[in-house]
Amino acid sequence: GNLPGTCSMKAASPQLYLYHMRLSDDVLLDVMARFQAEMVKGLGRDTNSTATVKMLPTFVRSLPDGSEKGDFLAVDLGGSQFRALEVKVFNDGKQSSQLESKFYPTPKEVIQGSGTELFNYVADCLLDFMESKNLQHKKLPLGFTFSFPCKQTKLEEGALLAWTKHFKVRGVQGTDVVSSLRKALQKHKDIDVDVLAMVNDTVGTMMTCGYDDPHCEVGLIIGTGTNACYMEEMRHIDLVEGDEGRMCINTEWGAFGDDGALDDLRTEFDRELDLGSLNPGKQLFEKMISSLYLGELVRLILLKMTKEGLLFNGKVSTALLTKDKIEMKHVCAMEKYKEGLSNTKEILTELNLFPSEEDCIAVQHVCTIVSFRSANLCAAALAAILTRLRENKKVLRLRTTVGIDGGLYKTHPQYPKRLHKVVRRLVPNCDVRFLLSQSGSAKGAAMVTAVAYRLAAQRKQIDAVLAPFLLSLDTLREVKNKMRAELEYGLKRETQASATVKMLPTYVCGTPDGTESGKFLALDLGGTNFRVLLVKIRSGRRRSVQMYNKIFAIPLEIMQGTGEELFDHIVQCIADFLEYMGIKGARLPLGFTFSFPCRQASIDKGTLVGWTKGFKATDCEGEDVVDMLREAIRRRNEFDLDIVAVVNDTVGTMMTCGYEDPNCEIGLIAGTGSNVCYMEDMKNIEIVEGNEGKMCINTEWGGFGDNGCIDNIRTKYDIQVDEGSLNAGKQRYEKMTSGMYLGEIVRQILIDLTKQGLLFRGQISESLRKRGIFETKFLSQIESDRLALLQVRRILQQLGLDSTCEDSIIVKEVCGAVSRRAAQLCGAGLAAIVEKKRENRGVEHLQITVGVDGTLYKLHPHFSRVLQETVRELAPQCDVTFMLSEDGSGKGAALITAVAKRLHNIGRK
């Protein structure tokens, strides 16, 4: 198929002859699958060493974004000529650049001599170029295009793996070519050049096209050599640390088949050509595709056909016997079908072959088959790369651009359209634009350098923004000591009134000892829902807790109506529940979890200090919540309950864990809010009479810092968040550590980074202006290690933020900095508490359990780990076990009630 013209019988003989060079789509799909398998091998840590397709990381992580600017130098080594360039890039909104260059010959004694000679030659040429452009007095960054397989370890460091094409220079293999170039440049005292990046011409091509078309993520060279590169997901590149973002992979696909993978497709002519080359057995795929070898293939085929009497009346001329006598330019000229046979006749005559018309038709046919096979094979490998990109992106249709450069593609009259057609047939689900690169290999090096330059400058700015969130161990120790001082102020009679950490007594004087038993009711009011629970506790060998509960909504008009309406609604819900459980007659003991700040005078008296969380019921602040509940029960006059305890959810958390582990004497909530309670020695609590035993203290530590004692670590973003909140100036520590505010801190930082032009192309979208769009669950999702950046991008898209891959990395980094600081600050506070417990007990070493609840602790991928590490660092003499609490506000309230009943009964006895 796809071959031009019909031929006479005599000229038709090459058809049978070259049958093996004509590849059907089935064969090409098979080649495509083989190449896909090779790519996977090359990317795998364990398989890379034996892979033929090396899949080399280039350390180019980012395509141009149009904001690059500056003056750059480039040198380009590896094509048929060597050249030096100056590239000016303008950030003028038109993505324009200006290029001046000069070509230099590559004499044989240089490209097949010693390494020192080669790099001295490159440096001399660069000096000549700089002098001709009057640049020798400027300090300029330089990009080095070096078009040979290199194992790079940094953007500006890479060792040559092997020479290819017509190069063979001694003493370079295995050494870092950038440092060799730097050495050669240092000999010239009068020029000051900074080599910032080493680039393969394939990557250069992708970068040049990427400057003009942001969809470009594949580079392809079809010229003297052939190669392809593309943007791969970092998580698939085993050979480089890190999973974030993408990196350009230089496939070095010329070596595909060096292990025999293509032997079934190689003909006797391919074998003969390989044996006569500079590097036998190597770059076998390249030898079937690139322009360096196609003319020679044509010569070998014509020679054999002539020997068999199929051409030129069997007369073999010297030209046919001379290696490389037929060149690529001849093949291109002969395939200009518009010229008919005149070109072919002229070229063959020049080579002293005296062709008949049939000879001309047959020779043209041979050229076509050889160059068509090249396009076919190239298309199959490219289709494998496109399929991989599509699968990486998890899309059904891929829209992408391939940047192309190389003499064969540019000068051959039929090559481009053949290649495009076959690629589209092999991957119908990819919409591919082929973009011809303008001076790609060299301008590309300057583009890579420009991007590296831009990224380094951006990195500096981002680091500066996030620096205040990095807390040293000394700073954290200081926070711990300040927290310790504030705890003491809250416990002392004379300082308690003015203390920011309130240290409220809860009148809970014991933790469960396992003898608790009976039926208890619990109420849980703390948000938009209200729960009623029946809890059955059994003691002894068959110790267990059974719970039955029902959830009721609290309508907005009741949350913000009168106190009477609110408590009548609560009692209505209790009545429904008792009815539902069939226990209306019993006078059960009840524990009331009331998660608002209360001053308690005893375990069953709690005066509401002030509503939070959107509650605004009138006539409640300053009143005793137990009295209000009792009055509402009286008003209804249907049942009676024994209200034993008012409970804060932090204390409930400590109690549920205390039931499982008697060593649990601290409760921590790290969720929407942040708080801690712990068992304090009565003798230290000056505001409560008595010195015997212990009592649980609800620290209400969210207010830590409201007196300005931690202003030195508050950032401008913390201040913005505080000023925009409902209770400005209050709960400053909570605003740096709790879930309700972390997203808001992140949003403020993102706005700042966007204003600096480091994110979202400098555009602040409508949604980024909205308070509260960044819920904490998004932080947890974005920071999850299992998430690919693609999913981070999707989350940001849901928030109305259109982000690039680079944007997503930055957002993830910002989230990480904010949540890490939150966990560290929380850990520093907790370290103060465990140290205080250790001193209370007067022990060298403390073993203690902390009961924990809260969405931030439970759902965030790193919060709990960082918190625990911080406590370990700051309280090394304390061995702290963290235990997740199950339903502190429900089960915990019932347990407090049970413990209070038990202690009350002991008291009566």
Side-chain angles (χ1 to χ4, degrees), residues 119 210 244 268 322 451 509 512 666 695 769 901:
F119 288 106
E244 293 313 315
E268 56 180 297
T322 313
V451 172
C509 295
I666 302 174
M695 181 185 286
R769 295 179 202 277
K901 284 302 264 185

Side-chain angles (χ1 to χ4, degrees), residues 483-516:
M483 174 67 86
R484 179 63 196 270
E486 296 294 318
L487 298 176
E488 301 293 350
Y489 292 144
L491 289 172
K492 297 267 180 286
R493 188 177 280 108
E494 59 273 18
T495 47
Q496 205 274 335
S498 62
T500 51
V501 179
K502 285 290 174 226
M503 305 297 279
L504 304 171
T506 62
Y507 295 88
V508 170
C509 295
T511 48
D513 66 358
T515 63
E516 294 75 20

Side-chain angles (χ1 to χ4, degrees), residues 176-228:
D176 173 21
V177 290
V178 177
S179 62
S180 302
L181 176 60
R182 280 185 181 145
K183 268 197 202 88
L185 287 167
Q186 277 157 10
K187 291 180 188 157
H188 298 286
K189 295 281 172 273
D190 37 357
I191 57 173
D192 186 4
V193 175
D194 190 10
V195 187
L196 272 192
M198 171 170 116
V199 187
N200 179 289
D201 56 343
T202 324
V203 182
T205 298
M206 179 187 78
M207 292 300 267
T208 311
C209 295
Y211 189 60
D212 300 321
D213 179 345
H215 287 103
C216 181
E217 44 194 352
V218 181
L220 176 61
I221 300 266
I222 314 168
T224 341
T226 177
N227 194 6

Side-chain angles (χ1 to χ4, degrees), residues 642-712:
D642 171 17
I643 304 170
V644 175
V646 186
V647 182
N648 177 285
D649 55 347
T650 319
V651 185
T653 296
M654 178 186 80
M655 293 300 265
T656 38
C657 293
Y659 186 66
E660 308 294 330
D661 176 353
N663 209 13
C664 178
E665 295 201 345
I666 302 174
L668 167 68
I669 300 248
T672 323
S674 173
N675 196 11
V676 156
C677 70
Y678 71 103
M679 295 303 288
E680 178 57 274
D681 294 356
M682 279 292 283
K683 62 176 184 292
N684 296 335
I685 311 172
E686 294 186 3
I687 48 172
V688 180
E689 287 304 306
N691 283 334
E692 290 309 307
K694 293 180 188 170
M695 181 185 286
C696 181
I697 291 287
N698 165 17
T699 62
E700 288 291 340
W701 78 1
F704 174 47
D706 289 0
N707 56 5
C709 70
I710 51 169
D711 281 2
N712 63 316

Side-chain angles (χ1 to χ4, degrees), residues 80-337:
S80 43
Q81 282 179 297
F82 167 70
R83 66 173 169 159
L85 306 90
E86 178 195 9
V87 182
K88 285 188 165 77
V89 186
F90 306 101
N91 181 9
D92 54 7
K94 292 199 284 284
Q95 309 230 341
S96 53
S97 62
Q98 190 183 317
L99 179 92
E100 297 200 35
S101 72
K102 193 168 167 185
F103 283 94
Y104 295 90
T106 47
K108 194 161 182 185
E109 64 273 16
V110 170
I111 64 171
Q112 298 188 2
S114 81
T116 321
E117 287 163 353
L118 173 70
F119 288 106
N120 284 347
Y121 180 73
V122 171
D124 293 343
C125 294
L126 182 65
L127 178 65
D128 171 77
F129 174 73
M130 289 175 81
E131 281 171 351
S132 69
K133 296 280 178 262
N134 215 353
L135 295 170
Q136 65 272 42
H137 307 300
K138 282 180 154 181
K139 179 171 171 62
L140 292 176
L142 173 109
F144 179 23
T145 300
F146 185 73
S147 308
F148 302 93
C150 279
K151 186 175 165 55
Q152 276 184 262
T153 33
K154 291 190 190 121
L155 188 57
E156 70 294 4
E157 182 179 279
L160 174 70
L161 290 172
W163 288 114
T164 56
K165 295 169 283 205
H166 42 300
F167 277 72
K168 209 161 193 175
V169 180
R170 298 186 303 281
V172 183
Q173 215 170 324
T175 64
D176 173 21
V177 290
V178 177
S179 62
S180 302
L181 176 60
R182 280 185 181 145
K183 268 197 202 88
L185 287 167
Q186 277 157 10
K187 291 180 188 157
H188 298 286
K189 295 281 172 273
D190 37 357
I191 57 173
D192 186 4
V193 175
D194 190 10
V195 187
L196 272 192
M198 171 170 116
V199 187
N200 179 289
D201 56 343
T202 324
V203 182
T205 298
M206 179 187 78
M207 292 300 267
T208 311
C209 295
Y211 189 60
D212 300 321
D213 179 345
H215 287 103
C216 181
E217 44 194 352
V218 181
L220 176 61
I221 300 266
I222 314 168
T224 341
T226 177
N227 194 6
C229 70
Y230 71 102
M231 295 301 285
E232 176 59 87
E233 302 288 319
M234 276 290 286
R235 63 177 193 281
H236 295 151
I237 307 174
D238 285 357
L239 300 171
V240 183
E241 277 307 296
D243 286 337
E244 293 313 315
R246 304 195 299 169
M247 181 181 283
C248 178
I249 287 289
N250 165 18
T251 62
E252 286 295 341
W253 76 9
F256 177 34
D258 287 5
D259 58 354
L262 296 173
D263 282 2
D264 54 331
L265 300 178
R266 290 174 70 232
T267 62
E268 56 180 297
F269 308 109
D270 294 303
R271 293 196 174 84
E272 198 173 335
L273 174 136
D274 176 46
L275 290 172
S277 68
L278 275 176
N279 52 354
K282 299 263 181 286
Q283 301 291 101
L284 298 181
F285 187 60
E286 180 165 79
K287 284 171 186 164
M288 295 163 87
I289 291 179
S290 88
S291 62
L292 196 59
Y293 304 102
L294 292 194
E296 183 62 5
L297 273 175
V298 168
R299 181 186 73 84
L300 291 169
I301 293 166
L302 298 184
L303 176 61
K304 177 156 183 186
M305 288 174 73
T306 310
K307 281 182 178 167
E308 296 195 2
L310 293 167
L311 283 177
F312 313 128
N313 293 324
K315 288 198 180 73
V316 177
S317 72
T318 338
L320 273 187
L321 291 168
T322 313
K323 184 172 179 310
D324 293 330
K325 193 68 182 172
I326 298 180
E327 294 173 38
M328 196 57 227
K329 61 180 184 200
H330 299 137
V331 177
C332 289
M334 291 193 279
E335 279 195 72
K336 284 191 174 134
Y337 304 133

Side-chain angles (χ1 to χ4, degrees), residues 19-49:
Y19 177 75
H20 273 310
M21 284 201 167
R22 302 180 54 183
L23 308 173
S24 69
D25 279 2
D26 284 345
V27 172
L28 294 178
L29 285 166
D30 182 41
V31 172
M32 175 177 149
R34 291 184 213 180
F35 189 69
Q36 271 177 300
E38 287 298 323
M39 288 167 79
V40 173
K41 243 194 224 170
L43 288 170
R45 180 173 287 118
D46 305 329
T47 44
N48 172 275
S49 54

